Amino acid sequence: MNDARKKQLIMEYRNRKPEKGIICYKCTATGEAFLMAASDTRTAFNSTTAKLNMDSHPNKHLLQLWKKYGSEGFEKTVVKVLKYEDPHEDYSEKLEAMLQECLDSTENSKRIWK
């Protein structure tokens, strides 16, 4: 790969606008919903699912349900998406507020990360 192409790919990566929002793992058997604020929803799903599959997720209750029902026993959804302009701005406070709003309005819900 030549230097010009490498620079172009780096620039595209730095200027990308990943989907930011609230993700949910809902156990279909128990109805429990596990929510998380994510600055990149796709990455958050991949990371969380990998940790669950490797039996190394810090939320022991979620991990126990995952072992019992498997990935087929969960609905994985993006509950709410944050609309934003500047990909370099910090939106963590807005995401945290959105997460709290979703926790308050979603029955039988808790945070993925305690």
Side-chain angles (χ1 to χ4, degrees), residues 21-23 35-38 79-80 91-107 109-113:
I22 308 303
I23 67 168
L35 305 175
M36 176 180 145
V79 177
K80 205 167 196 178
Y91 293 97
S92 56
E93 287 183 18
K94 288 182 180 180
L95 286 168
E96 184 60 32
M98 281 176 60
L99 174 60
Q100 192 56 53
E101 185 181 300
C102 290
L103 286 166
D104 293 342
S105 65
T106 305
E107 189 177 321
S109 67
K110 45 189 81 100
R111 292 174 183 263
I112 287 178
W113 301 100

Side-chain angles (χ1 to χ4, degrees), residues 6-49:
K6 193 182 295 187
K7 285 180 182 179
Q8 176 191 3
L9 290 173
I10 290 170
M11 194 62 126
E12 287 174 10
Y13 178 79
R14 286 183 181 156
N15 292 322
R16 70 187 174 92
K17 275 183 71 175
E19 181 179 69
K20 297 178 186 301
I22 308 303
I23 67 168
C24 176
Y25 282 73
K26 184 174 183 179
C27 180
T28 54
T30 65
E32 293 173 87
F34 298 87
L35 305 175
M36 176 180 145
S39 58
D40 184 339
T41 57
R42 194 179 92 216
T43 301
F45 276 124
N46 289 341
S47 174
T48 302
T49 301

Side-chain angles (χ1 to χ4, degrees), residues 19-82:
E19 181 179 69
K20 297 178 186 301
I22 308 303
I23 67 168
C24 176
Y25 282 73
K26 184 174 183 179
C27 180
T28 54
T30 65
E32 293 173 87
F34 298 87
L35 305 175
M36 176 180 145
S39 58
D40 184 339
T41 57
R42 194 179 92 216
T43 301
F45 276 124
N46 289 341
S47 174
T48 302
T49 301
K51 287 176 184 166
L52 289 167
N53 286 333
M54 293 186 306
D55 293 336
S56 67
H57 197 279
N59 187 322
K60 299 305 175 199
H61 183 61
L62 173 58
L63 185 58
Q64 181 182 31
L65 292 172
W66 189 268
K67 286 179 183 178
K68 185 173 183 176
Y69 300 109
S71 66
E72 307 82 30
F74 283 82
E75 294 174 4
K76 300 168 207 75
T77 58
V78 176
V79 177
K80 205 167 196 178
V81 175
L82 176 69

